[in-house]
Amino acid sequence: MIVCVAVVGHQNNPLYIQSFTEADDALKLHHIVHCSLDVVDERVNNPKKSGPLLNETFLGLLYPIENFKVYGYLTNTKVKFILVTTDLDVKDADVRNFFRRFHAAYVDAVSNPFHVPGKKITSRTFAERVSTIVKSFGLTSAV
Amino acid sequence: MVREVSESCLDSLLTEVVSCYCNRFYPNKHDLAARRIEAIGYQVGHQLSERYTMERPRFNDHLEAIKFICKDFWLELFKKHVDNLRTNHRGTFVLQDNKFCWLARMSIDPFADSGKSPEDITSPTAGNKATHAMKMHLYFSCGILRGFLSNLGILCAVSADILTLPTCAYFSLSHTYTEITL
């Protein structure tokens, strides 16, 4: 089950953080997302030779913490997407699919002429699309 | 849901934007009008960069980003590639388009007075005013390029020049403070 998704700008400023649990642990999730930014920077600057391709947008599993898993995705414009989930058997293809749809929703939200680059995303349409994507995560069978 | 607009609408809009900013909003202050038009282009380029770099992996260096502009980005915007790309390997790139679509329908109007002989059309003042008017139309596309590059992290200045109508060239200079040239 996805616990939290976050969009972080290229100066590590938060653009969108949304948690999907009823529990009141927003602060802990913020902290997890914040820690994962360091891991993203490390992955990008010190590529492992045997790891994923140097320039791929999907960074894969960043690190496990407590009972959460954190996945990262870095776009061409240095915007980072962070996904925190409690699922134990997450398929790689599912996460890639999730990030692809999330990226499409993000691009549409940023193309809004009233959106100021660098400020938080306040579009309700974006929030609805994200919750739709989150709800359908893992439900569609991987083809 | 994809909604489309005809190209002639966009052409007319851009012509009207230039005319509005030069004649109505900032009459006699063409530099200011140019900066405002370029700023509009900057925001458009910023947003377009998100959309068009979505599918591909990250760029390795500036040259790859410029090559992407010359091929894919120009193809998306103008349905053709950039015709010529030159660089001095020190951060300056020149992109040349031999038939720039937003200038393709413009002509230099020779003076209407019947008394003028054809040689007068090439007099310096007539040519200057015409090219100056046409250069105003290039500021929007300069802004698009600058916005696109700056969203990829490449800070630069973009300027444009008209060689012979409708050929135009864009000069992009990178200001990277930690660059070491060999």
Side-chain angles (χ1 to χ4, degrees):
Chain A
M1 197 199 73
I2 293 187
V3 164
C4 168
V5 293
V7 179
V8 182
H10 72 101
Q11 280 157 342
N12 287 344
N13 48 324
L15 295 177
Y16 183 78
I17 297 189
Q18 181 68 45
S19 66
F20 295 98
T21 54
E22 285 80 27
D24 193 22
D25 52 0
L27 196 59
K28 187 165 82 161
L29 296 171
H30 276 55
H31 182 246
I32 292 177
V33 168
H34 199 257
C35 292
S36 63
L37 296 178
D38 281 331
V39 183
V40 170
D41 282 335
E42 193 192 299
R43 281 279 177 94
V44 169
N45 294 332
N46 309 323
K48 294 195 284 278
K49 293 291 186 286
S50 60
L53 295 171
L54 177 54
N55 290 325
E56 233 191 283
T57 44
F58 176 61
L59 299 171
L61 178 66
L62 295 179
Y63 68 108
I65 180 173
E66 294 183 18
N67 55 335
F68 299 125
K69 285 187 183 180
V70 183
Y71 289 87
Y73 181 100
L74 180 64
T75 69
N76 246 314
T77 54
K78 311 285 183 295
V79 172
K80 307 166 188 73
F81 301 151
I82 309 287
L83 167 72
V84 183
T85 175
T86 53
D87 275 342
L88 293 175
D89 56 346
V90 175
K91 291 200 266 294
D92 201 44
D94 278 346
V95 185
R96 281 178 195 264
N97 196 18
F98 172 88
F99 276 128
R100 201 172 39 83
R101 294 163 74 186
F102 191 76
H103 196 168
Y106 168 75
V107 161
D108 284 342
V110 163
S111 303
N112 182 351
F114 296 108
H115 171 257
V116 179
K119 292 270 166 29
K120 296 205 171 180
I121 298 176
T122 52
S123 153
R124 256 183 314 138
T125 320
F126 178 69
E128 282 166 12
R129 273 177 82 170
V130 167
S131 45
T132 314
I133 299 173
V134 163
K135 283 196 185 71
S136 67
F137 177 71
L139 293 179
T140 55
S141 56
V143 175
Chain B
M1 180 180 62
V2 175
R3 285 181 279 202
E4 294 182 342
V5 164
S6 73
E7 278 185 26
S8 54
C9 278
L10 186 61
D11 271 347
S12 311
L13 175 66
L14 293 174
T15 315
E16 185 58 28
V17 163
V18 171
S19 151
C20 239
Y21 271 85
C22 291
N23 303 330
R24 279 207 285 140
F25 296 165
Y26 304 108
N28 308 322
K29 283 189 259 181
H30 283 187
D31 285 340
L32 198 51
R35 272 208 289 275
R36 293 302 299 248
I37 298 175
E38 212 249 355
I40 298 176
Y42 180 87
Q43 185 169 355
V44 172
H46 210 264
Q47 291 167 337
L48 287 180
S49 73
E50 295 277 357
R51 191 172 285 278
Y52 292 138
T53 58
M54 196 166 97
E55 297 294 316
R56 64 177 320 276
R58 290 193 297 279
F59 299 114
N60 276 328
D61 58 4
H62 294 188
L63 183 59
E64 249 190 59
I66 302 274
K67 288 205 293 213
F68 176 80
I69 291 181
C70 292
K71 296 206 186 83
D72 300 304
F73 188 59
W74 223 252
L75 196 66
E76 296 272 4
L77 287 189
F78 307 118
K79 299 202 182 63
K80 63 187 290 286
H81 297 298
V82 163
D83 294 303
N84 198 350
L85 169 67
R86 292 194 294 277
T87 175
N88 69 351
H89 296 291
R90 277 191 195 85
T92 306
F93 295 92
V94 180
L95 291 77
Q96 183 170 323
D97 187 341
N98 289 336
K99 190 174 186 298
F100 189 52
C101 116
W102 290 336
L103 293 181
R105 313 228 179 287
M106 291 188 197
S107 62
I108 302 185
D109 180 30
F111 284 129
D113 299 276
S114 51
K116 294 259 186 212
S117 57
E119 288 86 71
D120 286 351
I121 295 171
T122 53
S123 70
T125 46
N128 277 346
K129 276 177 76 171
T131 34
H132 179 76
M134 284 193 299
K135 276 194 184 157
M136 294 304 287
H137 290 267
L138 290 178
Y139 282 110
F140 183 68
S141 33
C142 286
I144 292 183
L145 282 176
R146 193 169 67 90
F148 187 93
L149 288 170
S150 78
N151 207 11
L152 297 175
I154 304 170
L155 297 171
C156 63
V158 180
S159 62
D161 203 11
I162 300 178
L163 305 175
T164 53
L165 204 66
T167 305
C168 71
Y170 291 92
F171 300 81
S172 152
L173 297 106
S174 293
H175 296 285
T176 48
Y177 301 102
T178 57
E179 197 169 75
I180 303 171
T181 56
L182 297 167

